[in-house]
Amino acid sequence: MNKCDQNCNTCSSKCQNGCPICNVAGKKVPLITVKSLLKDKQNYLTDTQTYICINRKCPVIYFQEQNPQYFIKDDIKTQIWFKSSLKEHIVCYCHNIKLLDIVEIVKQSDDEHLTKEKIFELLNIKEPNNCLHNNPLGESCDKLFANAIEYAYKQKKDN
């Protein structure tokens, strides 16, 4: 059996975890995350593995293996960073920090090495994160935050 390399353009088989609309392999997401983010708690979910569709252009957000129902952006409470515009691009779901917020903080700062922790300090954020329930991927925003800071410094340098 071939291992999936998530290159659906060269793949000849149907993915077990492929999106029901675009067939791109999904990323595993904890069921508790999906349940936390659905607007309608009565939506039909099974106990099977849940995935998020990683295709930026596909309308599907969450789906499950062997479950004909899937969920689109209107079914969930928040934007999905990689399926939204730059203006709406959320980096930290727990504290509603957007990419453009980070760009502005970096632009205003003389610090050449801002970190997530320093930005939280500047924003006076002390509450703990609850990524499992708030982040659509069900994981920490650390990597996304680091990428956003890097992007912000590049924008500052280019301007």
Side-chain angles (χ1 to χ4, degrees), residues 128-150:
N129 293 334
N130 188 356
C131 301
L132 183 63
H133 292 96
N134 295 324
N135 186 324
L137 298 177
E139 59 189 35
S140 168
C141 66
D142 289 349
K143 184 175 179 183
L144 186 57
F145 219 103
N147 289 341
I149 292 170
E150 182 180 323

Side-chain angles (χ1 to χ4, degrees), residues 30-85:
L31 183 58
I32 189 74
T33 300
V34 179
K35 287 181 177 181
S36 297
L37 294 176
L38 286 177
K39 287 179 183 175
D40 179 4
K41 300 297 182 197
Q42 302 304 312
N43 277 316
Y44 173 68
L45 287 168
T46 65
D47 287 335
T48 60
Q49 180 60 58
T50 307
Y51 298 90
I52 189 167
C53 177
I54 58 172
N55 180 349
R56 292 179 188 273
K57 295 178 181 177
C58 183
V60 172
I61 305 297
Y62 294 117
F63 63 94
Q64 293 183 304
E65 294 175 353
Q66 311 302 317
N67 186 347
Q69 183 171 354
Y70 52 85
F71 305 99
I72 60 173
K73 68 180 179 178
D74 290 341
D75 297 323
I76 62 171
K77 298 175 185 175
T78 190
Q79 295 285 333
I80 304 299
W81 63 271
F82 60 88
K83 292 190 181 213
S84 62
S85 71

